[in-house]
């Protein structure tokens, strides 16, 4: 649908976002998918056109992204899915990777010294994958088409090949040095050592065969039999510790979403082992006490208040959050309006407060997750974020299996007592233990209005995920942005420590930056922050916003 410039101007006045910042959103009536790959979004819509629902589409898109978007789309990683059906209670599916049975808190030490290589770039950094089990659990609960039909498009893409895009070719060039020590990885991602070039057709026959086993046998096609044998053989070859028992024992979990409200809208997001939902609700509760719409998008006052909310929520995140099956957490308090009011009492509206580094900081998490949003004709909604941790995960392709393994164990803390000023963490809530899930920031989120789905949002980006999701929500609810504008507008990030506001380049005025600095904030410019994928439901019309910060993303609808 085309919007005339006069209408755009009027919308700008109503929406209170800067005139130049309003973007056209894609619109459709029945169903929509927004993902990091346009062809995978189209796979989801084709499933819905055949009568599939949002869960069917999400399963098909997730498997398709494992073929088209190898930086983060996966079967060898893990993630989270928040589902809001048009009927029944919402459910959060937790398919985060787990620590293998032989894990222990000191596993990243070599001769008593912390080893980054061991923690992030070795076979020991591979967690037991959760994606296949999680997608299957969600499908068992709410899918409607046969399981195998949902894998068929991905198998076809892997077998017949996909066209390598400019973005994929560039990213492969970047990762190839890291893959050199793994022959199966080089074989998969090059033509006998020559990087895949944009425009060529890339076939993945081993991945197609693995997907076919999963199509035929469900999770047993991954966690048992040939695929499990191939994973365990690679672990033994490379000094990893994942066993057949670890794989056969993996279980995805249903959890109750974290719930909050913001100016009359209901917010559902991912509970621990994600830190995202709790932090988003805490920040929204704090910010509800201020009139951000009156302060305006990008004003020094709005950015100051957002920063102070971020600082406080990230400090709590660092202090309290971990795997709920291993750690006690004060979740009710952290997400309460009363606690937010207490925190507001500590915010000076004119002056930056101060993050104290004396206790602990927070480990870095990778930027390479991927998120997609799905809404179907019955207004069932799926918000799904999954990851391999680093871009291309561990960079280890399972020989004969054709898929990448994650390096998610790097999201556990470094070791007991290892907290230091370089950012190493030694606090206990997130130390490696057998079967434990490592803390995450992934925050698939759904916002409801009057009991119906209004917004489906999420983003990749490690720690920045939480703040990116927060800002897409504020952009829509406080500043009246449409779905595309909500993702296009500039973003900031503050995570308590280091005590600095990261701001996207050219996104905010120099005057605003000077005012923030005068209040005591330290500012650093960054190129970009995350890529959000948003669907809004407005008067029955689906509106998609796909982030232009990424290479291949796309909205598909019908
Ligand atoms: N690996 C990134 C995250 O889970 O937040």
């Amino acid at each position: 649908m085309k919007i005339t410039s006069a209408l755009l101007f009027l919308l700008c006045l109503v929406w209170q976002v800067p005139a130049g910042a309003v973007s056209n959103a894609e619109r459709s009536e029945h169903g929509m998918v927004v993902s990091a790959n346009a062809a995978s979004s189209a796979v989801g819509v084709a499933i819905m056109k055949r009568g599939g629902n949002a869960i069917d589409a999400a399963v098909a898109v997730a498997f398709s992204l494992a073929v088209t978007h190898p930086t983060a789309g996966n079967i060898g990683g893990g993630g989270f899915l928040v589902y809001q059906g048009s009927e029944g209670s919402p459910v959060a599916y937790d398919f985060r990777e787990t620590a293998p049975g032989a894990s222990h808190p000191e596993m990243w030490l070599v001769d008593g010294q912390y080893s980054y290589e061991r923690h992030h770039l070795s076979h020991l950094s591979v967690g037991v994958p959760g994606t296949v089990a999680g997608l299957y659990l969600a499908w068992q609960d709410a899918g409607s088409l046969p399981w195998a039909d949902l894998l068929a498009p991905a198998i076809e893409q892997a077998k017949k090949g996909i066209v390598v895009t400019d973005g994929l070719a560039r990213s492969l060039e970047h990762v190839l040095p890291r893959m050199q020590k793994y022959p199966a990885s080089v074989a998969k991602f090059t033509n006998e050592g020559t990087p895949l070039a944009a425009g060529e057709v890339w076939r993945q026959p081993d991945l197609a065969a693995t997907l076919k086993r999963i199509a035929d046998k469900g999770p047993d096609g991954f966690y048992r039999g040939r695929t499990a044998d191939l994973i365990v053989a690679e672990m033994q070859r490379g000094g990893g510790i994942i066993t057949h028992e670890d794989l056969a024992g993996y279980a995805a979990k249903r959890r109750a979403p974290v719930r909050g409200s913001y100016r009359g809208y209901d917010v559902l997001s991912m509970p621990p082992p994600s830190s995202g939902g709790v932090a988003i609700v805490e920040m929204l509760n704090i910010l509800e006490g201020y009139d951000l719409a009156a302060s305006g998008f990008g004003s020094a006052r709005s950015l100051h208040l957002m920063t102070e909310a971020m600082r406080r929520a990230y400090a709590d995140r660092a202090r309290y959050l971990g795997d709920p099956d291993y750690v006690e957490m004060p979740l009710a308090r952290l997400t309460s309006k009363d606690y937010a009011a207490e925190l507001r009492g500590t915010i000076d509206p004119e002056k930056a407060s101060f993050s104290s580094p004396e206790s602990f900081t927070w480990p870095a998490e990778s930027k390479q997750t991927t998120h997609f949003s799905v809404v179907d004709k019955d207004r069932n909604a799926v918000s799904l974020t999954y990851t391999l941790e680093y871009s291309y995960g561990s960079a280890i392709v399972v020989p004969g299996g054709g898929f990448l393994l994650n390096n998610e164990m790097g999201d556990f803390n470094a070791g007991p007592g290892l907290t230091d000023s370089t950012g190493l963490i030694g606090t206990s809530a997130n130390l490696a233990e057998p079967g434990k899930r490592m803390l995450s920031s992934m925050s698939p989120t759904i916002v409801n209005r009057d009991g119906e789905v209004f917004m489906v949002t999420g983003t990749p980006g490690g720690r920045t995920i939480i703040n990116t999701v927060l800002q897409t929500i504020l952009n829509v609810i406080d500043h009246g942005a449409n779905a595309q504008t909500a993702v296009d507008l500039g973003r900031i990030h503050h995570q308590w420590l280091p005590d600095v506001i990261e701001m996207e380049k050219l996104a905010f005025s120099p005057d605003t930056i000077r005012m923030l600095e005068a209040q005591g904030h330290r500012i650093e410019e960054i190129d970009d922050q995350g890529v959000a994928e948003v669907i809004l439901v407005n008067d029955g019309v689906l509106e998609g916003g796909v982030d232009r910060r990424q290479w291949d993303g796309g909205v598909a609808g019908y």
Side-chain angles (χ1 to χ4, degrees), residues 78-80 96-97 273-275 317 364-369 385-390 407-408 410-411 438-443 460-466:
F80 304 128
R96 185 69 162 161
E97 297 90 331
S274 174
S275 55
R317 169 186 183 275
E365 289 145 25
S366 146
K367 296 192 171 178
Q368 290 307 329
T369 52
T385 314
Y386 70 158
T387 183
L388 289 164
E389 168 65 348
Y390 283 8
N407 60 335
E408 215 72 54
D411 273 355
M438 55 297 285
L439 188 63
S440 171
S441 295
M442 291 186 286
S443 312
R463 275 170 298 177
T464 61
I465 287 175
I466 303 169

Side-chain angles (χ1 to χ4, degrees), residues 223-240:
Y223 293 98
R224 297 172 191 271
R226 177 162 167 76
T227 315
D229 290 346
L230 294 170
I231 295 172
V232 172
E234 177 57 20
M235 286 288 119
Q236 289 170 353
R237 198 197 58 71

Side-chain angles (χ1 to χ4, degrees), residues 77-89:
F80 304 128
L81 183 163
V82 175
Y83 174 62
Q84 160 80 58
S86 55
E87 290 170 5
S89 303

Side-chain angles (χ1 to χ4, degrees), residues 44 46-53 55-57 59-60 139-140 142-150:
I47 290 288
M48 286 193 273
K49 281 185 176 168
R50 283 181 45 201
N53 60 28
I55 286 284
D56 295 318
V59 170
W139 171 79
Q140 274 184 314
S144 68
L145 294 183
W147 169 253
D149 290 9
L150 308 180

Side-chain angles (χ1 to χ4, degrees), residues 45 163 356 542:
V45 166
V163 176
S356 161
L542 300 171

Side-chain angles (χ1 to χ4, degrees), residues 1 3-4 7-19 21-25 27 292-294 296-298 449 454 474-486 489 536 538-539 543:
M1 178 194 291
I3 298 183
T4 64
L7 182 56
L8 255 182
F9 178 69
L10 280 176
L11 291 174
C12 293
L13 293 183
V14 176
W15 289 346
Q16 300 162 10
V17 294
V22 175
S23 320
N24 285 355
R27 294 193 170 81
L292 294 186
F297 173 85
R449 182 168 59 185
F454 169 67
L474 299 181
N475 291 344
V476 169
I477 295 180
D478 285 312
H479 304 303
N482 69 12
Q484 188 59 52
T485 307
L489 287 171
L536 292 181
N538 255 330
D539 293 332
E543 203 178 271

